[in-house]
């Protein structure tokens, strides 16, 4: 990871040897090399008093290799992030498609419920007519007309 993209401000390389280290427990951070990176305070100009997370390997060639490796890893993560963003877009498009289908099905369901209600009312009316005709036939039979 390059020093310009670090989330923590860094001091100049000479500051590392001229810094005090005091890390609160809540800032127990590991460096990219795997060692604890204590919170330090710069003691040299122009950064006097500036706080930074500093590792003992900061000036080492190994650190430079780690930064190069971290840059490659970051590129890989950015590529994966782009792929995931595309997948999110695909899922959101599919979600919208399904939402529209659900809306369509709900509208059809309302239509079918309305038709079902009308059919039930027609059946009830037909049953009332049958009962009425039955009563009429019974009356006509009783008075001898049928």
């Amino acid at each position: 990871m390059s020093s310009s993209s670090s989330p923590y401000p860094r001091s100049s390389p000479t500051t590392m040897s001229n810094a005090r280290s005091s890390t609160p427990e809540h800032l127990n951070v590991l460096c990219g090399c795997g060692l604890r990176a204590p919170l330090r305070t710069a003691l040299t100009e122009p950064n006097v008093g500036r706080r930074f997370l500093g590792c003992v390997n900061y000036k080492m060639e190994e650190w430079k290799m780690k930064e190069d490796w971290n840059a490659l890893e970051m590129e890989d993560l950015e590529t994966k992030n782009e792929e995931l963003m595309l997948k999110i877009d695909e899922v959101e498009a599919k979600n919208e498609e399904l939402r529209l289908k659900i809306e369509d099905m709900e509208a059809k369901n309302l239509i079918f419920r309305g038709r079902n209600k009308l059919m039930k009312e027609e059946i009830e009316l037909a049953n009332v007519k049958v009962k009425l005709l039955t009563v009429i036939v019974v009356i006509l039979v009783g008075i001898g007309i049928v």
Side-chain angles (χ1 to χ4, degrees):
M1 180 182 293
S2 69
S3 59
S4 63
S5 65
S6 172
Y8 305 105
R10 281 222 173 122
S11 63
S12 66
T14 58
T15 306
M16 287 298 295
S17 58
N18 297 320
R20 286 188 311 239
S21 173
S22 169
T23 306
E25 287 300 317
H26 70 280
L27 285 179
N28 194 8
V29 178
L30 292 181
C31 172
C33 71
L35 294 178
R36 191 173 70 86
L39 183 64
R40 297 177 179 268
T41 304
L43 301 175
T44 58
E45 292 296 333
N47 298 310
V48 173
R50 188 174 183 183
R51 305 298 301 259
F52 63 98
L53 292 170
C55 171
V56 296
N57 290 329
Y58 175 69
K59 296 182 196 176
M60 307 292 247
E61 184 60 31
E62 183 179 306
W63 177 260
K64 175 64 175 134
M65 290 169 50
K66 271 291 189 195
E67 284 183 345
D68 293 343
W69 182 82
N70 285 339
L72 291 173
E73 186 177 62
M74 184 60 107
E75 288 175 18
D76 185 47
L77 290 174
E78 288 172 353
T79 300
K80 287 180 182 177
N81 186 50
E82 290 172 8
E83 291 170 359
L84 289 173
M85 294 302 285
L86 289 174
K87 286 183 181 179
I88 288 171
D89 290 344
E90 290 172 9
V91 168
E92 287 176 346
K94 185 67 173 177
N95 188 39
E96 179 64 15
E97 179 185 326
L98 292 172
R99 188 189 62 76
L100 292 173
K101 284 183 179 180
I102 288 171
E103 283 181 7
D104 184 53
M105 293 172 101
E106 286 174 343
K108 288 177 180 177
N109 188 27
L110 284 175
I111 292 169
F112 290 133
R113 283 184 180 189
R115 288 180 183 170
N116 188 27
K117 185 177 179 183
L118 284 175
M119 291 174 72
K120 283 182 180 179
E121 290 172 356
E122 288 176 1
I123 290 171
E124 288 176 19
L125 183 59
N127 286 336
V128 169
K129 287 179 181 178
V130 167
K131 288 179 184 177
L132 184 59
L133 287 173
T134 304
V135 169
I136 291 173
V137 167
V138 168
I139 292 173
L140 290 176
V141 168
I143 59 173
I145 297 181
V146 175

